[in-house]
Amino acid sequence: MKALSHKKSKVESVLSALWHRGYRCRLNYKELPGSPDIALTKYRIAIFIDGEFWHGKDFEENKGKIKNNKDYWIKKSRKIVKEI
């Protein structure tokens, strides 16, 4: 994963907006259980942002877009869709 280039995600955009409004927060805060995507430690708030891909939403339509480790992601997503 370290070899992958990193693009600015929507999570980081939200973090940036919060920071500019005076809310000091951390991204992927490892000191809290579950490593929340955004943590506002002063207010004791943890925010987890789950994308639609991770929950299998519209998986059948989007499975053709998977480029890396395709067999793994298809198997995992089918399992998630079955559980729902």
Side-chain angles (χ1 to χ4, degrees):
M1 292 302 289
K2 287 183 179 182
L4 298 175
S5 64
H6 182 71
K7 294 191 304 184
K8 189 170 182 176
S9 67
K10 289 183 181 180
V11 174
E12 290 170 336
S13 298
V14 169
L15 179 81
S16 178
L18 287 170
W19 191 270
H20 288 296
R21 289 187 174 106
Y23 295 102
R24 299 299 173 235
C25 44
R26 299 172 177 263
L27 181 67
N28 299 324
Y29 194 52
K30 306 261 186 268
E31 293 183 27
L32 292 175
S35 295
D37 296 308
I38 298 174
L40 294 115
T41 54
K42 179 179 177 181
Y43 303 102
R44 295 179 148 195
I45 296 174
I47 302 170
F48 294 88
I49 301 172
D50 295 328
E52 295 172 347
F53 175 78
W54 307 111
H55 297 288
K57 183 176 184 305
D58 300 328
F59 174 70
E60 290 301 320
E61 297 165 15
N62 294 321
K63 71 180 177 185
K65 296 178 184 176
I66 301 171
K67 294 180 183 175
N68 297 327
N69 209 1
K70 195 170 192 168
D71 295 333
Y72 169 79
W73 286 113
I74 289 174
K75 182 179 174 183
K76 182 178 176 112
S77 295
R78 282 195 178 135
K79 182 180 175 186
I80 291 169
V81 170
K82 266 190 214 176
E83 290 174 2
I84 296 173

